[in-house]
Amino acid sequence: MAAESAPPFFSESIILLAASVVAVPLSKRLGLGSVVGYLAAGAAIGPFGFGFFGSGESVLDVAELGVVLLLFVIGLELDPKKLWRMRRDIFGLGTAQVVLTGLVLSGIALLIGTPRDAALVAGFGLALSSTAFALQILQERGQFSSAYGQRAFGILLLQDIAIVPLLAMVAILAPGSGASTSGEVFTEVVTILGAVAGVVLAGRYLASPLFLFLAASRAREVMLAAALLVALGSAGVMHAVGLSMALGAFLAGVLLAESSFRHTLEADIEPFRSLLMGLFFVAVGMTLNFQVLAENIWFVLGGVVVVMLVKGIFLWGLARITGSPITDAFRIAVTLPQGGEFAFVLFTAAVSFQIFDFQTANVLNAVVILTMIMTPVACLTLDLVAERLKEKGVENPVVESFEEAAPTVLVIGFGRFGMMVAQILTSEGLEITAIDNRPDRIADARKLGYRVYYGDATRSDVLAAAGAGKAALIAMCIENDQVMGKSIDLIRHGFPDARLFCRATDRAHAMELTRQGVDFQIRETFESSIAFGRAALEALGTPADRIQEIEEDVRRRDRERLELQLKQGIHAGSDRLHAVTPRQSHKAPNNPAGGPDT
């Protein structure tokens, strides 16, 4: 029987996966990061390498969804208040970088004989950095939440916004293009504002109720489908009116940043984002034309040096002028000197509008790709210089940021027990993050002013998204013993530095938690029972010093009984239950030792 033909894109998928599996670990082993590995894999298997693919464009169309999901996840990590605090970095620092760098690079292009229109497109296209590339580097290094990481992100966000007027500039510069009528401009502006308003209203008033309804079904795959629908749907709306898809996804993420489902959404999206981002860089690598590179090698290498040097100088200077320390300014300069993925979009548009030819676009694309490859090298060089300075006694100033300190405590389970724990912790001014898997509890907690997020404690990705890796202490306040046991195993394996404080539902559970080696456990009714007994003795006229003696003795006997039970079983130490507390005066008690309590 003849073998059936393979499904579409099956062989190509095998080649993509195999190339990535080989190239990425090697690249990381060399200290260059995963992005360079993906680029190298794409260059090797692309049409200008071994030729397994005829073109990278078909892969790039799908892989661009990785950038969309990346911006959605980044948006989830930024609530609107924080975004407003970043407005100076976005609209001040970001605008200055794009305008000044674009003008200088355009001027250099004019000096070497490039026509004016082509020079403007090339200069401003090369002024843009790669959002996907830079954010991947920041996240791999764990620096996204640092002061310089946040400033770099502000610049990248402005660049994503800038692609809209830059594409309009290309259309205006096109040969034979006429000025749009005022009516057409007005219609376009109203359409864009309407699309943005629609995404904002839907994200603010429809998304959270939708996720609340779906969470009640406990169907994880439906929640995942809804998360992808929100991210891709908002991206599609923005794309339909001529805006960046990534910008639309980012806007949706920001609007959901304050919702109860933030951490679960981030954990659900993350595997798709990581896979598609890798595919995106592979597709970019496929576009590297080795023939064009060889024919224009000195021009391309010169372009790489000029672009990275000019962008680095402006980034460093603007960061210093706007208040960054010297070390942070250097880090920004070596993180964002590369060309970006939007440069490909801009250059393709320039070719279609006949501003410059396909050969010129290929040369510029080669410059962009090589600047991407050289960026991890620049970062590694800065790390080596910093290490040498440290060895010589020159310490880098450390900039503390609130984001790096939070969350201090992760509270898992927000019922009556967890809520009281949270109240104690916040009374000290500690920052907490709380998760629960019951939508009704989350809604009630929000009404009381607590920010509680939807999350499953048996998923390590959800725990990581909720901040378990940064937490100094994790408070396990859930009622289900089995769920707590699974969660403890995940935390011990994935987040071993966090201290574990656990709520025990009964004595047997307390014994199990002790065997699991948690840092602290307490039975949920023990302290309330002690307090209840103290109040009863006071009502019966027992002196306060005698009550204190009894409480200390009962606590001591309880500890001894628990130790015996751990060694001999649940029924061991029952004699510790029935002793009368001796009086400090050493008078003989009314009942012999071992008699029943009165």
Side-chain angles (χ1 to χ4, degrees):
M1 181 176 177
E4 295 183 3
S5 60
F9 209 62
F10 180 78
S11 301
E12 291 86 348
S13 299
I14 298 295
I15 294 170
L16 282 168
L17 294 172
S20 300
V21 166
V22 172
V24 173
L26 287 175
S27 178
K28 296 199 73 171
R29 188 70 177 268
L30 294 172
L32 299 176
S34 62
V35 175
V36 172
Y38 284 121
L39 290 172
I45 64 177
F48 308 108
F50 292 111
F52 291 112
F53 289 79
S55 170
E57 294 180 1
S58 58
V59 179
L60 192 59
D61 289 340
V62 177
E64 283 179 349
L65 296 179
V67 182
V68 171
L69 296 182
L70 172 66
L71 267 292
F72 180 69
V73 171
I74 294 299
L76 287 173
E77 297 176 0
L78 293 172
D79 57 62
K81 292 179 182 177
K82 182 176 179 182
L83 199 60
W84 178 249
R85 291 197 300 269
M86 292 175 62
R87 65 189 183 278
R88 291 182 180 177
D89 290 337
I90 297 172
F91 297 105
L93 182 58
T95 302
Q97 185 274 325
V98 171
V99 172
L100 294 177
T101 307
L103 289 174
V104 170
L105 290 175
S106 297
I108 294 172
L110 283 171
L111 288 176
I112 62 175
T114 308
R116 186 201 63 183
D117 294 349
L120 282 172
V121 175
F124 278 93
L126 293 171
L128 303 177
S129 302
S130 172
T131 301
F133 198 97
L135 291 182
Q136 185 86 355
I137 290 175
L138 289 171
Q139 290 179 334
E140 283 186 357
R141 290 169 166 256
Q143 297 296 316
F144 177 74
S145 295
S146 66
Y148 91 87
Q150 291 295 283
R151 301 206 80 185
F153 178 68
I155 296 171
L156 290 168
L157 185 56
L158 188 280
Q159 291 178 356
D160 280 351
I161 298 172
I163 189 62
V164 179
L166 288 179
L167 285 172
M169 179 187 74
V170 171
I172 293 170
L173 294 175
S177 62
S180 298
T181 65
S182 58
E184 290 174 341
V185 172
F186 177 76
T187 301
E188 187 173 348
V189 170
V190 170
T191 302
I192 290 174
L193 292 177
V196 172
V199 171
V200 169
L201 292 174
R204 196 160 191 85
Y205 298 107
L206 297 180
S208 287
L210 171 66
F211 285 117
L212 194 65
F213 171 75
L214 295 176
S217 68
R218 301 294 180 92
R220 179 184 171 186
E221 65 279 2
V222 176
M223 290 284 288
L224 172 58
L228 290 171
L229 176 63
V230 169
L232 300 182
S234 56
V237 170
M238 293 293 102
H239 180 66
V241 296
L243 295 176
S244 162
M245 288 197 298
L247 192 61
F250 174 78
L251 182 59
V254 169
L255 293 171
L256 288 170
E258 291 186 316
S259 77
S260 302
F261 302 92
R262 165 185 167 186
H263 298 303
T264 296
L265 290 174
E266 184 178 347
D268 284 340
I269 290 289
E270 181 61 26
F272 295 91
R273 181 202 69 82
S274 300
L275 184 62
L276 289 171
M277 279 304 301
L279 190 60
F280 172 81
F281 291 121
V282 170
V284 170
M286 288 182 188
T287 64
L288 182 59
N289 189 326
F290 292 106
Q291 183 178 351
V292 171
L293 181 60
E295 293 173 353
N296 302 273
I297 184 65
W298 297 114
F299 183 87
V300 171
L301 292 179
V304 170
V305 172
V306 169
V307 169
M308 296 188 72
L309 194 60
V310 169
K311 292 180 75 171
I313 290 172
F314 274 106
L315 286 164
W316 185 88
L318 290 170
R320 287 288 291 141
I321 291 171
T322 53
S324 288
I326 293 177
T327 51
D328 277 9
F330 272 120
R331 290 189 181 111
I332 293 171
V334 299
T335 303
L336 305 180
Q338 77 287 134
E341 55 272 4
F342 285 126
F344 302 131
V345 176
L346 205 62
F347 299 154
T348 301
V351 172
S352 65
F353 281 106
Q354 300 177 358
I355 293 176
F356 47 64
D357 58 24
F358 192 72
Q359 178 78 1
T360 303
N362 274 341
V363 171
L364 291 174
N365 286 342
V367 171
V368 171
I369 293 172
L370 288 182
T371 58
M372 288 182 175
I373 293 174
M374 292 304 297
T375 298
V377 177
C379 291
L380 194 59
T381 302
L382 182 63
D383 289 343
L384 292 174
V385 172
E387 189 64 31
R388 292 287 176 86
L389 291 175
K390 187 175 181 180
E391 290 174 359
K392 293 180 179 179
V394 182
E395 293 289 339
N396 292 326
V398 178
V399 180
E400 298 292 343
S401 72
F402 180 78
E403 285 297 316
E404 290 179 339
T408 303
V409 179
L410 174 61
V411 178
I412 301 177
F414 211 79
R416 60 186 187 278
F417 190 96
M419 188 179 296
M420 185 56 66
V421 170
Q423 185 177 347
I424 293 290
L425 295 172
T426 54
S427 295
E428 173 57 16
L430 296 175
E431 188 74 14
I432 70 163
T433 296
I435 64 173
D436 200 291
N437 66 347
R438 286 179 50 178
D440 56 331
R441 268 190 193 165
I442 295 170
D444 290 341
R446 291 254 168 171
K447 291 176 183 176
L448 296 174
Y450 289 103
R451 294 185 61 179
V452 183
Y453 300 97
Y454 180 83
D456 183 352
T458 62
R459 288 179 55 188
S460 59
D461 54 352
V462 171
L463 294 173
K470 301 177 184 177
L473 185 146
I474 298 177
M476 304 288 292
C477 303
I478 51 184
E479 303 97 333
N480 190 308
D481 301 1
Q482 294 181 342
V483 170
M484 185 181 290
K486 292 179 182 178
S487 186
I488 289 171
D489 290 340
L490 288 175
I491 292 168
R492 283 297 188 219
H493 180 265
F495 317 101
D497 295 333
R499 284 176 288 179
L500 263 176
F501 278 42
C502 299
R503 162 196 187 175
T505 53
D506 54 30
R507 197 172 191 85
H509 189 209
M511 293 166 58
E512 179 61 27
L513 292 173
T514 303
R515 292 190 184 99
Q516 286 185 285
V518 302
D519 298 285
F520 175 81
Q521 57 79 20
I522 186 170
R523 281 165 283 156
E524 58 185 2
T525 59
F526 183 71
E527 291 297 334
S528 58
S529 300
I530 292 289
F532 190 99
R534 284 184 62 102
L537 289 174
E538 289 174 2
L540 294 171
T542 306
D545 56 347
R546 175 58 179 166
I547 294 175
Q548 186 63 30
E549 289 177 8
I550 293 171
E551 180 180 347
E552 292 175 358
D553 181 54
V554 168
R555 289 181 182 275
R556 177 186 58 78
R557 283 187 279 136
D558 184 78
R559 288 193 299 270
E560 292 174 354
R561 182 181 170 220
L562 188 61
E563 291 173 1
L564 287 171
Q565 287 177 312
L566 286 169
K567 297 176 182 177
Q568 302 174 20
I570 191 68
H571 299 294
S574 57
D575 58 307
R576 301 299 197 279
L577 294 171
H578 306 293
V580 174
T581 301
R583 299 179 181 273
Q584 289 186 355
S585 60
H586 301 295
K587 292 181 181 180
N590 294 329
N591 294 320
D597 289 341
T598 57

